[in-house]
């Protein structure tokens, strides 16, 4: 059996206020082509299908169209809800979708009855564990201590292993969590009210393969426990992380080959560093003109209209940081000490030097300050 492990589609997410539907559609179309070309039997989507608990009509249309095209390939789909999803909205009419082989698992205890799909070697049981917020599920299990995500998933996996022991056969678990051993970027929302709630990898002992979601970069916890990451870049912190999915094969005895398959990147992410004149005019930066750009300006003084100037060359420049290449450390002294026995021009010059990270006045600026102060003094005489 061939399984394509993907997650974190985040349909409806914006990138620096820009909508991403068109780019995500390109990637998901490529994913459908991949399923068809490689003869994938099951597509496993491990949570965060939508980016919001209240998806837009366009987001629903993108999901529905993608699922219809996946169904047309002959593949089955097993999909769970993540911490960004509304389990109720994502799971709406899931009973009907299941009749077409599109299995959407959002109920808090739905994982206890696996989705069983047969191949030539027998049954494969898919246990989809939706995101389970401890505060929202603990009342269902009054005899269990369920204060952390680790404890909730520990209970779920004990139930999965008990069920599997009775059923026999091979198994795949889908879970949306922050497993120990991977690093998060700036886009993964904490999955507990008190902060990041790590889940040890040994919680997932037992199944032949564990398809994880939540972390946006691909990661391997063990051969049989992996993150696929998001199919689209949603932050410059992810710029160097590949986009794709894991193609997992189960043979007669369990886990077989696991292959990483790349997906297209509709628009690259680039962080460009230099002074404004160089970024705006040098040929060295021509290759980045169609990228999403985050610019780091090294000019000693923050340029006026820097973003507007950059966007004339890089229309998709969406972030700007001023980081002077050369700074001087101001002398440590109280304000009274700094102005003691100083003239008005010296006080103004000292203030401007302080707020400009130690960069002093040019001859022109010094003459201009003297002229303004002179005119002010003459007017008040």
């Amino acid at each position: 059996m061939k399984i394509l492990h993907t997650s974190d589609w985040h349909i409806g997410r914006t990138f620096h206020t820009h909508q991403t539907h068109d780019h995500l559609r390109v990637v998901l179309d490529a994913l459908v082509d991949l399923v068809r070309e490689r003869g994938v039997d099951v597509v496993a989507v491990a949570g965060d299908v939508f980016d919001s608990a209240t998806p837009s009509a366009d987001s629903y249309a993108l999901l529905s169209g993608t699922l219809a095209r996946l169904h047309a390939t002959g593949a089955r789909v097993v999909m769970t809800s993540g911490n960004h999803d509304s389990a109720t909205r994502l799971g709406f009419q899931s009973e009907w979708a299941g009749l077409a082989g599109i299995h959407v698992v959002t109920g808090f205890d739905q994982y206890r009855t696996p989705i069983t799909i047969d191949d030539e070697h027998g049954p494969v049981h898919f246990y989809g564990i939706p995101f389970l917020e401890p505060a929202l599920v603990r009342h269902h299990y009054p005899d269990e201590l369920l204060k952390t995500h680790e404890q909730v998933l520990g209970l779920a996996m004990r139930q999965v292993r008990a069920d599997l022991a009775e059923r026999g056969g091979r198994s795949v678990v889908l879970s949306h969590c922050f497993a120990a051993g991977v690093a998060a970027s700036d886009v993964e929302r904490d999955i507990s009210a008190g902060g990041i709630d790590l889940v040890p990898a040994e919680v997932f002992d037992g199944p032949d393969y564990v398809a994880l979601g939540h972390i946006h970069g691909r990661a391997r916890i063990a051969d049989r426990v992996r993150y696929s990451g998001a199919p689209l870049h949603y932050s410059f912190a992810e710029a160097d992380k590949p986009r794709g999915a894991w193609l997992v094969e189960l043979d007669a005895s369990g886990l077989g080959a696991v292959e990483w398959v790349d997906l297209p990147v509709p628009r690259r992410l680039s962080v460009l560093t230099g002074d404004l004149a160089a970024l705006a005019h040098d040929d060295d930066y021509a290759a980045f003109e169609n990228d999403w750009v985050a610019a780091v300006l090294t000019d000693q003084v923050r340029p006026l209209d820097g973003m507007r100037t950059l966007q004339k060359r890089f229309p998709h420049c969406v972030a700007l940081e001023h980081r002077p290449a050369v700074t001087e450390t101001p002398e440590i002294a109280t304000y009274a000490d700094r102005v003691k026995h100083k003239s008005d021009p010296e006080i103004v010059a000292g203030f401007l030097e302080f707020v400009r990270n130690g960069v002093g006045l040019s001859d022109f600026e010094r003459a201009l300050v003297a002229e303004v102060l002179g005119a002010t003094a003459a007017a008040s005489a």
Side-chain angles (χ1 to χ4, degrees):
M1 180 177 290
K2 290 185 178 181
I3 302 163
L4 190 70
H5 167 199
T6 177
S7 73
D8 295 274
W9 291 2
H10 285 281
I11 302 173
R13 194 181 189 105
T14 59
F15 183 78
H16 291 269
T17 74
H18 295 265
Q19 67 88 12
T20 60
H21 276 128
D22 292 341
H23 287 178
L24 185 57
R25 184 177 291 106
V26 169
V27 179
L28 293 179
D29 284 349
L31 185 146
V32 172
D33 291 340
L34 173 64
V35 169
R36 181 182 299 106
E37 293 165 4
R38 299 297 294 268
V40 171
D41 300 295
V42 181
V43 178
V45 188
D48 280 355
V49 178
F50 291 120
D51 187 62
S52 167
T54 55
S56 66
D58 288 342
S59 296
Y60 273 113
L62 179 54
L63 175 62
S64 298
T66 301
L67 293 178
R69 290 190 294 276
L70 285 173
H71 175 69
T73 69
R76 308 280 191 90
V77 176
V78 180
M79 174 181 290
T80 61
S81 52
N83 58 303
H84 279 250
D85 296 306
S86 162
T88 302
R89 288 186 172 89
L90 182 62
F92 179 63
Q93 292 190 336
S94 59
E95 183 177 356
W96 296 104
L99 298 177
I102 308 294
H103 304 280
V104 184
V105 183
T106 61
F108 79 94
D109 62 350
Q110 227 175 321
Y111 63 85
R112 299 176 66 174
T113 303
I115 297 148
T116 300
I117 300 173
D118 293 309
D119 66 4
E120 66 271 23
H121 303 298
V124 177
H125 307 296
F126 288 81
Y127 295 89
I129 304 177
F131 174 71
L132 301 175
E133 175 63 51
L136 299 180
V137 300
R138 65 170 65 107
H139 68 280
H140 294 291
Y141 304 97
D143 297 329
E144 296 281 346
L145 180 62
L146 300 177
K147 293 185 176 181
T148 68
H149 206 201
E150 175 186 351
Q151 291 167 340
V152 172
L153 280 177
L155 169 65
M157 285 304 302
R158 289 197 301 274
Q159 293 171 330
V160 165
R161 284 188 287 267
D163 183 81
L164 186 58
E166 292 185 7
R167 293 179 187 274
R170 295 156 295 162
S171 60
V172 174
V173 164
L174 289 74
S175 179
H176 195 84
C177 68
F178 196 162
V182 295
S185 70
D186 62 347
V187 291
E188 290 96 0
R189 184 185 299 168
D190 286 359
I191 58 173
S192 66
I196 293 173
D197 201 351
L198 290 175
V199 178
E202 54 266 25
V203 166
F204 296 105
D205 286 349
D208 294 290
Y209 186 76
V210 179
L212 296 178
H214 183 57
I215 300 301
H216 285 198
R218 72 176 181 187
R220 173 188 171 277
I221 308 298
D223 281 345
R224 60 178 196 82
V225 183
R226 299 172 187 251
Y227 284 98
S228 65
L232 197 65
H233 289 113
Y234 291 112
S235 166
F236 283 100
E238 304 172 1
D240 60 344
K241 297 178 181 178
R243 303 289 89 169
W246 293 111
L247 183 59
V248 180
E249 293 191 27
L250 296 184
D251 56 26
S253 59
L255 184 63
V258 181
E259 175 188 354
W260 176 257
V261 185
D262 288 312
L263 289 171
V265 177
R267 178 169 287 129
R268 295 184 308 176
L269 278 68
S270 298
V271 179
L272 306 181
T273 302
D275 60 62
L276 181 60
L279 292 181
H281 302 292
D282 284 5
D283 291 340
D284 292 343
Y285 299 102
F288 305 101
E289 291 177 356
N290 292 318
D291 295 1
W292 293 118
V293 169
V296 179
L297 296 183
T298 59
D299 304 72
Q300 285 186 300
V301 178
R302 181 186 293 274
L304 295 175
D305 290 333
M307 178 62 86
R308 185 179 302 176
T309 301
L310 288 169
Q311 286 180 338
K312 290 178 181 178
R313 183 175 194 183
F314 308 104
H316 307 292
C317 181
V318 293
L320 187 151
E321 178 186 354
H322 181 226
R323 194 187 303 163
V326 178
T327 60
E328 298 177 17
T329 304
E331 212 178 297
I332 306 279
T334 66
Y335 181 75
D337 289 337
R338 292 199 300 273
V339 302
K340 192 175 182 178
H341 306 306
K342 288 187 176 182
S343 64
D344 287 348
E346 289 173 328
I347 292 174
V348 173
F351 171 76
L352 292 174
E353 181 177 349
F354 176 76
V355 299
R356 299 199 305 191
N357 296 317
V359 178
L361 273 66
S362 66
D363 291 340
F364 170 78
E365 291 170 328
R366 191 173 289 104
L368 182 62
V369 168
E371 179 183 340
V372 171
L373 290 174
T376 302
S380 61

